[in-house]
Amino acid sequence: MWHFSQAFVVERVAKTVLVLAALVGLSGCWVISVHPLYEDVAPRDSDIVADKAMAGTWRFPDQKCEYTLTIGLNEDIYDLHWVQRGEGCGDSPGKSHYEARLIKLDSFYFLDVSPVEEDVCNFCIPVHQISLVKFDSDSLVLTEIDPTGLRKLLQTGAVDLKTVPEDPKESIFERAITLTALPKELKSFCRRYAADKTVFNPESSLVFKRAHIPS
């Protein structure tokens, strides 16, 4: 299991965090995790599942920027290709590649997204973003951990999740809440707050619609 000093984590996640931010379309503050939402050991974590219904091509409706997410499935690993086109897309990468695991905790599904191995620099940490996910034949909904809701829980001591201390100096990297909690602790948190709208705020959800490609 990985163990890191706080300074090392802040320095090394900076190389990978923007790649994941492009996926969820966030700017400024978000939540990332040093550890995944699953135990990365053999035998395979029994909470990892695979559902072909999530595979396919999805589009996020936006008048200024066209977002397309194509998801493939190889055994229990999802292959995500993110493409955005249009003048309103800003400075984010036009194309990005990720991998993901689908985790089922009780009756809720979560998507753990991280960079593919070739996009992680030497000595950098491949950070993870965790989303509550709902999907059916026509829609895919991703709801990130709400940073404001999480920060309140941490400040009041309602939850005990280890994090890298936030730096008050305004930086896009330092404004991210970086969790260093272990997978077991992350699972416990997600189980407890999956239905809590202050933690997984539906108002910030990204709702993708399946792209029906003519044959």
Side-chain angles (χ1 to χ4, degrees):
M1 184 64 67
W2 293 91
H3 295 281
F4 310 101
S5 69
Q6 293 174 350
F8 182 85
V9 169
V10 171
E11 177 184 357
R12 295 302 179 181
V13 298
K15 298 291 186 180
T16 54
V17 68
L18 280 181
V19 176
L20 294 177
L23 174 64
V24 295
L26 296 175
S27 61
C29 191
W30 63 92
V31 179
I32 58 176
S33 177
V34 169
H35 296 290
L37 187 60
Y38 55 89
E39 297 287 352
D40 193 13
V41 295
R44 189 191 75 169
D45 188 325
S46 61
D47 291 323
I48 296 177
V49 296
D51 193 321
K52 293 181 180 178
M54 204 169 67
T57 300
W58 305 88
R59 292 204 173 108
F60 179 73
D62 190 295
Q63 294 180 347
K64 298 180 180 180
C65 183
E66 179 180 302
Y67 302 95
T68 302
L69 177 63
T70 302
I71 302 177
L73 177 60
N74 181 12
E75 295 184 351
D76 58 9
I77 301 176
Y78 287 90
D79 189 56
L80 280 61
H81 288 269
W82 173 260
V83 178
Q84 53 190 48
R85 299 184 181 90
E87 295 181 356
C89 296
D91 297 328
S92 299
K95 296 182 179 180
S96 301
H97 186 196
Y98 316 91
E99 66 178 33
R101 305 294 193 285
L102 185 64
I103 315 298
K104 187 176 183 181
L105 302 176
D106 301 327
S107 61
F108 295 94
Y109 289 93
F110 296 86
L111 195 66
D112 180 303
V113 181
S114 61
V116 292
E117 184 177 354
E118 56 264 30
D119 286 341
V120 181
C121 64
N122 293 334
F123 305 109
C124 287
I125 300 170
V127 294
H128 300 254
Q129 282 189 300
I130 299 167
S131 299
L132 180 68
V133 60
K134 298 178 181 179
F135 54 93
D136 55 31
S137 59
D138 293 314
S139 64
L140 172 68
V141 182
L142 296 174
T143 307
E144 284 275 305
I145 299 173
D146 185 88
T148 301
L150 175 58
R151 189 173 282 111
K152 288 180 180 179
L153 292 174
L154 293 171
Q155 291 173 346
T156 60
V159 297
D160 183 20
L161 286 178
K162 295 181 177 62
T163 65
V164 174
E166 294 183 82
D167 192 325
K169 298 177 182 178
E170 292 296 325
S171 161
I172 192 170
F173 303 117
E174 293 158 351
R175 285 201 301 270
I177 298 177
T178 304
L179 298 171
T180 58
L182 298 176
K184 182 178 180 179
E185 298 166 320
L186 294 172
K187 286 185 180 184
S188 177
F189 171 81
C190 288
R191 281 192 169 99
R192 181 178 177 183
Y193 290 100
D196 191 320
K197 294 182 179 180
T198 64
V199 176
F200 291 96
N201 186 352
E203 293 184 4
S204 62
S205 296
L206 290 179
V207 181
F208 293 84
K209 295 298 183 182
R210 188 178 295 276
H212 296 285
I213 308 299
S215 56

